[in-house]
Amino acid sequence: MRSIRRGDSGPAVAEIRSILVGLELLSEDGSDVFDDATDHAVRAFQQSRGIGVDGLVGDETWGALDAARWRLGARTLFHSVPNALVGEDVRTLQERLLEMGYDTGRADSIYGPRTARAVAQFQREVGLTQDGSCGPQTMKALRRLGRKVVGGRPQWLREAEAFRQAGTNLMGKTIVIDPGHGGGDDLGVVVPEGPLRWTEADLVFDLAARLEGRLAAAGMRVHLTRGPHPAQSMNGAERATLANSLGADLLISLHLDGHENDAAHGVATYHYGTGNGLSSTVGERLANLVQREIVVRTGMRDCRIHSKTWELLRLTRMPAVRVDLGYLTSPTDRDRLVNPLFREQIVEAILAAVQRMYYPVEIDVPTGSIDVRQLRVALGAGS
Ligand SMILES: [Zn+2]
């Protein structure tokens, strides 16, 4: 769908405005015009949800706005089949349960079987009927206990434990490499340079294909989320669903950044996290390793790691990171990125990071020190 933006008007804008009013980001004036105040409110909303802040209401922002209509306690929540209930109220409930030590999986806003089980467990422990649904009685019990009982970050400890139990051998592990964009007219960042035109979609595909070869040679099962010229574009949720259906052990999404100021440059890596203390520890570790290996091996500027709730990171069930491998709009970064030898350096850095994910922490090695040609030997010895 075309993004709704500043200057638009009509029933869809009225609907967006009424949701923003409900969230207290905008004051009600009965207008159906996407004015400056609406633009500010949309940006504030995007920022609060970890969505790219551009003031445009496209698919992802619309989905988040739609889900945000629901405030916890406004309706009874239950595990509905086949169409699960989705909403901000579900996410609030999941975060509250997670804080108390119940295993709902990630706070993904979806009331699935795992959330229902966590609710039933909570109900049993506070002496309520265990029906796995969240109605007035359960809400009352949650309000009574919610702020007092905090159990740490159990779901991430479980995720870390599951990862540890999968073993230290890279052989046979499944990794999904997600080259961003591609398909339809989604080329990501595009920069013309003389007769040439550099596109994010093509460059990250080249990186993904190189990485695929190297990871496969190391014994991993590797899947790319797309080919070089896909007919259709895919959103973050579709990419996450694909990785989940493959039962992937890790996911790495590759992007380049762009900025109107061509002085902006450097590499940044993103992992799942809500910014209020809930974050994927395994995903954060992977993000750290990827970021540090790239910075140390290539000398690119370190724009650090950040937590985000983007669909790709939120809906994937395995440790997942997205790395923005420099700014295509920066002459410094671009000169290097268009050089295949430099791209090979990036591939080596990511390969080393993946290898270090499977090293037991006590025998981990300094950043930049792994000779990836020895990968297979080292991994054989570690298994
Ligand atoms: Zn991108």
Side-chain angles (χ1 to χ4, degrees), residues 232-275:
Q232 301 241 307
S233 60
M234 277 172 102
N235 63 30
E238 288 161 343
R239 291 170 197 249
T241 303
L242 174 63
N244 289 342
S245 72
L246 291 165
D249 295 286
L250 292 177
L251 176 139
I252 298 177
S253 181
L254 306 176
H255 282 255
L256 302 179
D257 217 332
H259 198 278
E260 56 199 27
N261 180 351
D262 71 8
H265 67 290
V267 57
T269 307
Y270 305 90
H271 61 91
Y272 177 77
T274 61

Side-chain angles (χ1 to χ4, degrees), residues 83-371:
N83 296 316
L85 297 179
V86 177
E88 197 62 15
D89 50 351
V90 179
R91 188 168 83 145
T92 308
L93 172 68
Q94 289 171 325
E95 289 189 348
R96 226 171 256 187
L97 288 167
L98 286 168
E99 282 170 5
M100 289 189 289
Y102 296 94
D103 178 19
T104 64
R106 285 189 186 182
D108 59 4
S109 311
I110 303 167
Y111 206 99
R114 205 155 154 188
T115 301
R117 270 201 303 279
V119 169
Q121 195 190 349
F122 171 76
Q123 289 171 323
R124 187 178 67 232
E125 286 168 15
V126 297
L128 294 171
T129 314
Q130 280 182 70
D131 60 5
S133 71
C134 186
Q137 290 302 318
T138 306
M139 271 309 306
K140 210 169 134 194
L142 274 169
R143 276 198 209 97
R144 220 169 46 227
L145 295 172
R147 292 293 162 218
K148 285 185 231 151
V149 186
V150 176
R153 306 198 299 185
Q155 86 282 19
W156 309 122
L157 296 178
R158 284 189 195 98
E159 187 181 294
E161 181 60 13
F163 189 82
R164 197 191 62 76
Q165 281 177 5
T168 57
N169 199 337
L170 211 72
M171 298 272 193
K173 294 283 192 315
T174 299
I175 184 165
V176 170
I177 303 297
D178 173 44
H181 311 278
D185 51 10
D186 180 10
L187 299 173
V189 181
V190 178
V191 177
E193 190 172 44
L196 299 171
R197 191 179 70 145
W198 302 111
T199 74
E200 178 186 357
D202 286 347
L203 286 167
V204 294
F205 183 80
D206 173 88
L207 282 158
R210 289 171 192 269
L211 201 47
E212 179 184 29
R214 300 297 296 275
L215 290 164
M220 291 191 94
R221 273 193 290 253
V222 193
H223 294 268
L224 303 191
T225 52
R226 68 170 176 92
H229 306 292
Q232 301 241 307
S233 60
M234 277 172 102
N235 63 30
E238 288 161 343
R239 291 170 197 249
T241 303
L242 174 63
N244 289 342
S245 72
L246 291 165
D249 295 286
L250 292 177
L251 176 139
I252 298 177
S253 181
L254 306 176
H255 282 255
L256 302 179
D257 217 332
H259 198 278
E260 56 199 27
N261 180 351
D262 71 8
H265 67 290
V267 57
T269 307
Y270 305 90
H271 61 91
Y272 177 77
T274 61
N276 62 2
L278 297 174
S279 84
S280 159
T281 52
V282 191
E284 194 173 334
R285 172 143 180 264
L286 178 60
N288 249 316
L289 289 171
V290 168
Q291 179 71 13
R292 283 159 54 201
E293 288 289 346
I294 292 173
V295 167
V296 166
R297 286 169 190 258
T298 67
M300 286 176 102
R301 184 179 130 89
D302 184 0
C303 300
R304 300 191 302 277
I305 71 167
H306 306 272
S307 65
K308 292 286 173 189
T309 60
W310 294 328
E311 285 186 329
L312 180 74
L313 304 178
R314 187 177 81 235
L315 301 176
T316 37
R317 293 198 208 103
M318 72 293 311
V321 300
R322 164 175 152 174
V323 50
D324 279 27
L325 297 154
Y327 283 73
L328 197 50
T329 44
S330 147
T332 322
D333 282 357
R334 186 170 63 246
D335 273 1
R336 307 184 74 184
L337 287 164
V338 301
N339 177 352
L341 292 173
F342 181 74
R343 295 203 293 276
E344 204 55 47
Q345 262 185 297
I346 290 180
V347 164
E348 298 240 333
I350 296 175
L351 193 54
V354 170
Q355 182 193 7
R356 288 180 66 190
M357 277 301 281
Y358 289 97
Y359 263 16
V361 174
E362 61 272 20
I363 62 160
D364 199 5
V365 296
T367 302
S369 69
I370 290 177
D371 178 352

